[in-house]
Amino acid sequence: MPELDLSFRPRKATPPTRLSAANYAMQFVRYPRVQLYMLFAIVSTLAALLTFGWTWEEARGAFAVIVAFPFVEYSIHRFVLHNLLLCRSPLTARFWSSNHHLHHLHPTDSRHFFAPPAPILVTATLLSLLLGWAAGGTEGAGAGLAVG
């Protein structure tokens, strides 16, 4: 009877390929979850604008979220998700391995572009409220939430 090999073998990474900015943008926009998030942002922004109109505070909050959010998201990705404590902690290792690690093993596979919706929505909601509030107070937080 053949012997079973139970040794650990890491998953083979996708061969490194570089996506051009245009190809990345096309894959990003075609991804169903991104389409859902964009639709939600457009509908909530239009609903807020048509229902309440916007003050300068709200406009500042919305603008702050639109401008700052990509930089904040990059910082979270770079400095939080790349922190090795996440892969070593029993509380976060499974999430890190099944999401962020696979994202880097297979960077062109759209199945690994994003984390599950729940952590993304919680993070986006908190960041949008905080950035909007910092730029425009309570009204800015509401507008930031609408566009974020």
Side-chain angles (χ1 to χ4, degrees):
M1 178 166 209
E3 207 173 292
L4 291 174
D5 181 11
L6 300 176
S7 62
F8 173 74
R9 288 193 182 117
R11 293 178 83 172
K12 188 174 181 181
T14 303
T17 55
R18 277 267 195 236
L19 286 175
S20 69
N23 286 342
Y24 179 78
M26 285 305 297
Q27 280 198 359
F28 184 80
V29 173
R30 287 191 313 209
Y31 192 68
R33 209 176 298 162
V34 170
Q35 293 171 350
L36 179 65
Y37 297 151
M38 288 191 302
L39 178 64
F40 180 73
I42 291 168
V43 168
S44 61
T45 301
L46 288 175
L49 183 60
L50 295 173
T51 304
F52 304 111
W54 280 24
T55 64
W56 282 111
E57 290 80 14
E58 291 164 330
R60 281 197 315 263
F63 183 74
V65 169
I66 291 168
V67 171
F69 198 88
F71 298 106
V72 173
E73 189 278 331
Y74 171 79
S75 297
I76 289 171
H77 177 236
R78 173 67 181 87
F79 299 108
V80 175
L81 294 178
H82 283 222
N83 187 327
L84 293 180
L85 292 176
L86 291 177
C87 69
R88 294 180 181 146
S89 168
L91 297 174
T92 56
R94 184 174 173 203
F95 175 82
W96 184 88
S97 177
S98 66
N99 292 289
H100 190 248
H101 183 61
L102 288 176
H103 159 71
H104 283 283
L105 282 178
H106 309 287
T108 58
D109 186 344
S110 63
R111 293 175 298 172
H112 305 297
F113 278 174
F114 301 100
I120 287 178
L121 290 174
V122 168
T123 303
T125 298
L126 293 174
L127 289 175
S128 297
L129 285 169
L130 182 62
L131 291 169
W133 176 80
T138 306
E139 295 86 0
L145 182 59
V147 299

